[in-house]
Amino acid sequence: MKKIKTRDRILGTSLQLFNSLGEPNVTTLLISDELDISPGNLYYHFKSKSDIVDELFESYEAELLDLLAVPEDAEISLDQFSFFLHLLFEAVARYRFMYQDLVNVLSRHSQLQVRFRRLLKKKKTAFMVLCESFRHQGLMAISEDELRSLCEQLTLTACYWSSFDTLSHLDDRNSVDPGKGVYQMLHLILPYLAEEEQQEIRLTSRSYL
């Protein structure tokens, strides 16, 4: 069995602790205790907790940028859209510490603010491309104003669902259900779909509850 490098162990344990306890409540001493390594060993790999947060965000950012690179000329099916949402909410769940206390995290790690805003912009752009594809295929009837508003709401829900979900079980931050987020997103687009596609979305969304 391949031995996991100490640096990767630090990142994995930090992510687990950040998600479980909330990033502000986790110190480098707690991380080193959890790993049963000396604080000096941790410091050798990461000079501060901020450096750990930076690297975790970089991994999350790379994953999201790849997912959000939706080709503008692609014909997207509703099944593909559902799978896209599934992957999006799975990624958010894995790095949920950033979303559970978003404003606080970004205010204390100001170097991430510009990059996070870029991700938000790319999320909205991806939703615009996806919905435009539905409209061009005749699957969705929606005006320009409604489209902009819908994509704003989709972006908002994708961003804050994790925080909303956590509020229902603050005593257990590990209890996450990305499927409920997918369900809500599917029902946001449902009113604008043609009747046949509405039935398809209703059936698909039930599998996420």
Side-chain angles (χ1 to χ4, degrees):
M1 182 179 293
K2 186 178 180 181
K3 187 177 181 180
I4 302 175
K5 295 180 180 178
T6 300
R7 183 182 185 86
D8 293 333
R9 289 178 60 221
I10 291 171
L11 289 170
T13 298
S14 298
L15 180 59
Q16 180 185 353
L17 290 172
F18 290 165
N19 285 339
S20 300
L21 304 175
E23 181 269 335
N25 302 316
V26 178
T27 64
T28 52
L29 182 59
L30 178 60
I31 296 169
S32 59
D33 284 347
E34 186 74 14
L35 285 163
D36 196 22
I37 62 175
S38 69
N41 193 352
L42 189 146
Y43 183 78
Y44 173 80
H45 296 280
F46 297 98
K47 304 305 181 188
S48 67
K49 187 175 77 169
S50 184
D51 289 342
I52 297 175
V53 172
D54 280 354
E55 188 145 340
L56 288 173
F57 183 87
E58 188 172 317
S59 297
Y60 171 70
E61 182 180 43
E63 190 172 336
L64 259 288
L65 290 176
D66 183 57
L67 178 62
L68 297 173
V70 183
E72 292 189 8
D73 59 347
E75 286 197 356
I76 309 297
S77 69
L78 291 176
D79 279 345
Q80 288 173 315
F81 180 66
S82 300
F83 187 58
F84 169 84
L85 293 178
H86 176 83
L87 294 177
L88 176 62
F89 275 86
E90 285 286 348
V92 170
R94 279 194 297 277
Y95 296 89
R96 60 188 176 277
F97 76 91
M98 289 185 290
Y99 290 89
Q100 290 172 340
D101 195 12
L102 182 58
V103 174
N104 191 13
V105 170
L106 291 181
S107 65
R108 286 182 299 100
H109 302 280
S110 57
Q111 73 279 8
L112 301 181
Q113 291 178 17
V114 171
R115 293 163 69 184
F116 196 89
R117 282 198 296 268
R118 181 177 68 160
L119 281 180
L120 276 182
K121 185 176 180 180
K122 286 189 174 293
K123 284 179 187 176
K124 186 175 179 179
T125 299
F127 287 129
M128 288 287 290
V129 170
L130 290 163
C131 290
E132 283 284 10
S133 175
F134 296 153
R135 186 162 68 165
H136 290 156
Q137 295 175 73
L139 308 179
M140 175 180 279
I142 189 169
S143 69
E144 287 296 332
D145 288 344
E146 288 172 329
L147 178 61
R148 284 191 294 270
S149 178
L150 173 61
C151 291
E152 194 82 28
Q153 186 62 52
L154 289 168
T155 305
L156 179 65
T157 303
C159 185
Y160 286 103
W161 175 260
S162 180
S163 180
F164 174 79
D165 186 44
T166 300
L167 287 173
S168 65
H169 45 76
L170 285 173
D171 57 331
D172 183 9
R173 284 175 174 252
N174 287 322
S175 177
V176 295
D177 188 356
K180 289 183 179 179
V182 177
Y183 178 90
Q184 293 299 325
M185 297 282 274
L186 290 174
H187 277 258
L188 284 175
I189 71 164
L190 190 147
Y192 302 101
L193 297 175
E195 186 175 346
E196 184 177 339
E197 281 67 36
Q198 285 190 9
Q199 293 302 319
E200 181 180 343
I201 285 295
R202 287 191 178 96
L203 287 172
T204 300
S205 64
R206 288 173 193 161
S207 65
Y208 286 98
L209 288 180

